[in-house]
Amino acid sequence: MTAATHYRACHLCEAICGVAIAVEDGRITGIRGDVEDPFSKGHICPKALGLQDVHEDKDRLRRPLRREGSTWREVSWDEALDEAAGRLAEVQAEHGRNAVALYQGNPTVHNYGALLFGQLFAKVLRSRSLYSATSVDQLPHMLASLLMFGHQLLLPVPDVDRTDFFLVLGANPVVSNGSLMTAPGIEARLRKLKARGGRLVVVDPRRTETAALADLPLPIRPGTDALLLLALLQVIHEEALLTPGRLADFTDGLGVIADLVRPFTPELVAPAAGLAAGAIRGLARDFATAPRAVAYGRVGVSTQAFGALCAWLINVLNIVTGRLDTAGGAMFTRPAVDLLALAGRIGQRGHFDKGRSRVRGLPEFGGEWPVATLAEEIETPGTGQVRALITAAGNPVLSAPNGARLGRALAGLEFMVAIDIYLNETTRHAQLILPPSFGLEQDHYDVVFHTLAVRNTARYAPALFPRDGGARADWQILGGLAARLARRRGPKARLTCALLNRVGPRGVLRLLLRLGPRGLSLAELERSPHGVDLGPLEPCLPERLFTPEHRLRLAPQRLLDDVARLREGLAAVPPALQLIGRRELRSNNSWMHNSVRLTKGPERCTLQMHPDDATARGLSTGQPVRVRSRVGEIVAPLEVTSDMRPGVVCLPHGWGHRYDGVRLGVAQQRPGASANDLTDDAEVDRLCGTAVLNGVTVQVSGE
Ligand code: SF4
């Protein structure tokens, strides 16, 4: 018998917790937190145990599948890759390059091989029809960074371990362990904040697990966070609480902001936000006068009609109070692999609105279109119509707005190939599925989440298991497709593919580490299986700014202009019921519901509703209710709870495993309902095209 413990970072979510996986004779016998990980210090959540379920899942695909009528047949890798590349090339030859679209899902960013080779594949594809999970929920934050700091990836991270006042808007880090804020074990970090006399304020229409810890929960009306932020800024200006400090030396637009916020008094915005003016005033004073403070917002603020304004105003609040780039405030990382610096050096800082989408005229961001436009781009005839699609680690039928419409659109494609480990609600529409090996069969380094972490660390792990005979990693699939397409391109594309396929992601990582600010070698990381600590976040401005003049741009014109739209909506009568999303600790977006360990226990896909709203409709806990929106309807069991703000109902996302032809035996036994059968692809933040996933108008009645 051989027994060993393997150490690596969990690749399931942004928290990158260290895990210790016990293995005997090639089988996992236990998973626990790695107490020697200098960052996560032994913390894991229940999802880590799901790693074993996915690894051993009999439904997980191991060989390429070709759809033949209503059945699937295994084919060889060469056959599958040749056919996929050939069909994609045919569609491009007949209808133009943009007729083939690429959608990359969230797990791509947790897999450095998929991330690097996804870029390569997109380059060789030469299509402008690019989509990703970025536009599902985080684009507004990236847009604010691009317009203010000059780089779409220069995202400020709350220095939660040193702050005295943590203002959280539309985020539930106790469940997420941070999002655009890698903070494993955040609940313990928040308890330490409170133990040292600090304060936690949570702005959310639901009393979330994080709000339950807060000194002050503020149950705001969905979609009005930008108004609240303007009012906080108004008080700070009116009461002369402005303290930008050294930031003033390299910040442009302080005066513009002072003029902008003047009319937005707490008394003006309080009725729309559903908060007391006195509470807003008190919050502004407390935030501005706390020794160390930081404001942070996430999905709840970025997936609403004014998401870009919210992301911008959170940065403005941190800057005018001197909280940016200072200990306990919003800081920037110096990761061992510094993708920003490398990209910045070659002029790749991101861009916005360099083109408009063909059908609806929504702006591009970073070379991608909002995912809310994908269905219409497939359905609408004309030059540039999307006729073929590659999905990589994505299930947009469940994760994108108006997913049911998108599913119908996918059924009408001429060709679709999916790189995915499951036959799911999206991949069932493909003609070919190319399943990569699961994460435990691949080496791991987080090139993205070390960049968003509340502390500088680095961690590399080799593959735990050898790839199951003949299996291929994501990068090999993407590299194989790219190489085949490159044969039809010029010598430069062929050479690039040949070179990268030869060195592989590990070779690229070795180089990226050497070029990084820490000068680490891969060998050093391999000798440190628990990871290495690179210290707390440190001030780095103005040097780290990517604006040409190395100055902070506090008042970009595109954002200023959008405030008029916000103001117009001030007098609008809110709908009787608005739907918001919910993140569950035992659920990982749409793709881990085939884990028995994670899905057992009470039903989690419930519609939560305040008792007053339930009584008014004659509804009670446990009964199935019908929820309708402009685009669709679902049925879900009701959970009456005073955790909800009256007038707001809440449903988790990622469920809805109800389609025929899906091969997810466990998930289909408890399918749940898809929140994205209710979200509306026509309802977007008009500035940036991100869909409104929070604040959807719905009606609820007994089934
Ligand atoms: S919080 Fe859970 S899912 Fe996320 S990295 Fe940690 S153990 Fe994995």
Side-chain angles (χ1 to χ4, degrees):
M1 181 192 285
T2 57
T5 300
H6 171 86
Y7 300 96
R8 64 191 292 117
C10 172
H11 67 278
L12 297 176
C13 90
E14 296 183 37
I16 58 173
C17 301
V19 287
I21 305 178
V23 178
E24 275 183 28
D25 292 333
R27 282 187 60 85
I28 296 171
T29 54
I31 297 178
R32 58 182 170 77
D34 177 3
V35 291
E36 291 179 71
D37 183 304
F39 190 31
S40 59
K41 296 179 178 165
H43 172 82
I44 54 169
C45 83
K47 289 188 287 294
L49 305 182
L51 285 167
Q52 181 175 2
D53 284 353
V54 178
H55 177 69
E56 295 171 356
D57 191 345
K58 296 206 171 9
D59 285 338
R60 183 163 66 81
L61 305 177
R62 266 84 172 171
R63 301 282 178 276
L65 294 180
R66 177 198 285 135
R67 183 149 57 86
E68 296 178 352
S70 58
T71 60
W72 293 88
R73 184 169 74 81
E74 280 191 9
V75 291
S76 73
W77 276 106
D78 279 343
E79 196 179 345
L81 290 169
D82 287 345
E83 183 175 331
R87 293 288 304 275
L88 295 174
E90 275 169 27
V91 173
Q92 286 192 311
E94 192 174 342
H95 302 290
R97 286 184 179 155
N98 300 332
V100 175
L102 169 65
Y103 176 87
Q104 293 180 281
N106 165 284
T108 305
V109 291
H110 299 270
N111 178 330
Y112 84 103
L115 194 66
L116 295 171
F117 279 72
Q119 298 280 318
L120 171 72
F121 177 72
K123 278 250 174 308
V124 177
L125 188 64
R126 295 186 187 169
S127 169
R128 291 177 67 229
S129 302
L130 304 179
Y131 302 83
S132 80
T134 290
S135 60
V136 175
D137 68 33
Q138 72 182 47
L139 192 158
H141 297 286
M142 294 168 69
L143 177 60
S145 286
L146 176 67
L147 298 179
M148 301 179 76
F149 312 137
H151 198 305
Q152 65 180 22
L153 297 177
L154 188 60
L155 294 153
V157 180
D159 186 13
V160 66
D161 292 338
R162 290 184 288 183
T163 199
D164 301 308
F165 194 109
F166 194 21
L167 171 58
V168 177
L169 299 104
N172 189 5
V174 167
V175 165
S176 69
N177 278 285
S179 181
L180 299 184
M181 172 185 67
T182 290
I186 183 96
E187 183 170 347
R189 295 172 195 267
L190 294 179
R191 290 190 189 281
K192 280 186 188 163
L193 158 73
K194 295 182 64 156
R196 62 178 177 264
R199 290 188 68 202
L200 173 66
V201 175
V202 177
V203 178
D204 202 298
R206 185 170 80 93
R207 190 171 182 271
T208 63
E209 292 80 350
T210 306
L213 290 182
D215 303 280
L216 177 63
L218 288 174
I220 195 169
R221 181 171 289 137
T224 62
D225 303 78
L227 288 169
L228 169 66
L229 288 158
L230 283 165
L232 295 176
L233 288 163
Q234 192 276 341
V235 175
I236 286 167
H237 281 79
E238 183 190 63
E239 301 190 6
L241 297 170
L242 220 59
T243 50
R246 71 180 182 89
L247 300 176
D249 295 342
F250 50 89
T251 298
D252 293 325
L254 283 163
V256 180
I257 296 298
D259 291 340
L260 177 81
V261 303
R262 196 164 292 124
F264 291 93
T265 61
E267 290 70 25
L268 179 78
V269 309
L275 299 172
I280 299 173
R281 216 168 264 286
L283 174 58
R285 289 176 188 142
D286 291 348
F287 183 85
T289 55
R292 296 176 175 199
V294 61
Y296 158 78
R298 197 44 198 105
V299 175
V301 294
S302 57
T303 56
Q304 54 170 276
F306 301 100
L309 286 187
C310 288
W312 167 51
L313 292 169
I314 288 169
N315 288 341
V316 172
L317 182 60
N318 283 327
I319 292 168
V320 301
T321 53
R323 314 306 194 174
L324 187 73
D325 197 40
T326 188
M331 303 193 75
F332 300 104
T333 53
R334 274 282 181 187
V337 171
D338 193 352
L339 290 179
L340 283 80
L342 290 167
R345 231 177 270 161
I346 55 173
Q348 291 189 352
R349 301 178 178 119
H351 43 78
F352 172 57
D353 205 6
K354 285 204 166 170
R356 292 269 162 167
S357 68
R358 184 179 66 100
V359 177
R360 205 185 323 173
L362 290 177
E364 69 78 39
F365 179 80
E368 295 183 2
W369 304 111
V371 73
T373 67
L374 180 54
E376 68 199 22
E377 293 293 336
I378 295 171
E379 292 167 346
T380 310
T383 306
Q385 179 184 5
V386 171
R387 294 163 186 271
L389 176 69
I390 308 113
T391 60
N395 189 356
V397 168
L398 296 191
S399 60
N402 200 351
R405 176 188 178 187
L406 182 58
R408 292 191 293 275
L410 298 184
L413 286 167
E414 287 181 22
F415 179 67
M416 178 175 158
V417 54
I419 301 171
D420 206 287
I421 60 174
Y422 284 121
L423 176 44
N424 62 28
E425 296 73 18
T426 294
T427 63
R428 74 192 184 110
H429 294 291
Q431 278 76 38
L432 282 167
I433 305 179
L434 311 175
S437 52
F438 184 54
L440 301 182
E441 295 166 359
Q442 302 189 33
D443 67 337
H444 183 72
Y445 183 89
D446 249 295
V447 292
V448 172
F449 298 108
H450 286 307
T451 305
L452 297 168
V454 300
R455 191 172 175 88
N456 292 305
T457 59
R459 183 169 186 152
Y460 173 82
L464 166 55
F465 296 113
R467 273 196 282 283
D468 181 22
R472 301 203 180 182
D474 307 69
W475 72 268
Q476 291 175 305
I477 299 169
L478 288 158
L481 284 174
R484 284 163 173 82
L485 283 179
R487 288 177 198 149
R488 297 160 169 92
R489 313 288 192 233
K492 192 174 161 199
R494 285 198 293 277
L495 189 65
T496 307
C497 285
L499 189 68
L500 283 171
N501 277 323
R502 191 180 176 84
V503 299
R506 198 177 132 86
V508 178
L509 176 63
R510 185 178 284 125
L511 183 66
L512 292 176
L513 283 166
R514 275 296 183 208
L515 292 174
R518 311 283 177 173
L520 281 175
S521 72
L522 190 52
E524 282 171 86
L525 291 184
E526 284 176 310
R527 287 194 295 272
S528 309
H530 307 288
V532 295
D533 183 27
L534 301 171
L537 307 185
E538 289 169 2
C540 59
L541 298 188
E543 293 76 21
R544 186 77 160 148
L545 293 172
F546 288 84
T547 49
E549 65 283 8
H550 283 283
R551 294 181 66 80
L552 283 167
R553 295 174 172 173
L554 200 60
Q557 197 59 46
R558 295 295 297 266
L559 294 162
L560 289 173
D561 291 346
D562 204 36
V563 174
R565 182 169 65 95
L566 179 68
R567 188 154 193 173
E568 279 165 21
L570 251 177
V573 179
L577 273 185
Q578 289 174 285
L579 175 73
I580 61 169
R582 182 164 91 236
R583 185 158 173 167
E584 296 278 339
L585 187 61
R586 302 172 72 91
S587 178
N588 193 21
N589 298 330
S590 63
W591 71 276
M592 287 194 72
H593 296 152
N594 219 44
S595 160
V596 174
R597 257 178 275 232
L598 295 181
T599 51
K600 68 184 179 189
E603 175 71 67
R604 279 187 288 278
C605 187
T606 58
L607 184 83
Q608 294 184 336
M609 177 183 265
H610 188 272
D612 292 352
D613 293 320
T615 303
R617 290 164 180 79
L619 303 173
S620 55
T621 287
Q623 79 175 96
V625 291
R626 188 166 292 276
V627 190
R628 294 185 184 82
S629 73
R630 187 190 76 86
V631 301
E633 60 182 57
I634 58 123
V635 174
L638 186 70
E639 183 183 347
V640 179
T641 167
S642 53
D643 285 345
M644 293 307 302
R645 179 193 159 88
V648 184
V649 290
C650 175
L651 194 68
H653 67 276
W655 296 90
H657 308 287
R658 62 183 169 82
Y659 292 96
D660 292 337
V662 166
R663 200 179 290 175
L664 291 165
V666 175
Q668 286 175 297
Q669 285 170 31
R670 307 189 80 176
S674 175
N676 283 314
D677 285 351
L678 298 168
T679 57
D680 190 341
D681 49 344
E683 285 288 321
V684 298
D685 178 344
R686 273 184 265 148
L687 177 61
C688 63
T690 301
V692 175
L693 306 183
N694 282 290
V696 179
T697 301
V698 292
Q699 299 85 43
V700 177
S701 57
E703 169 62 350

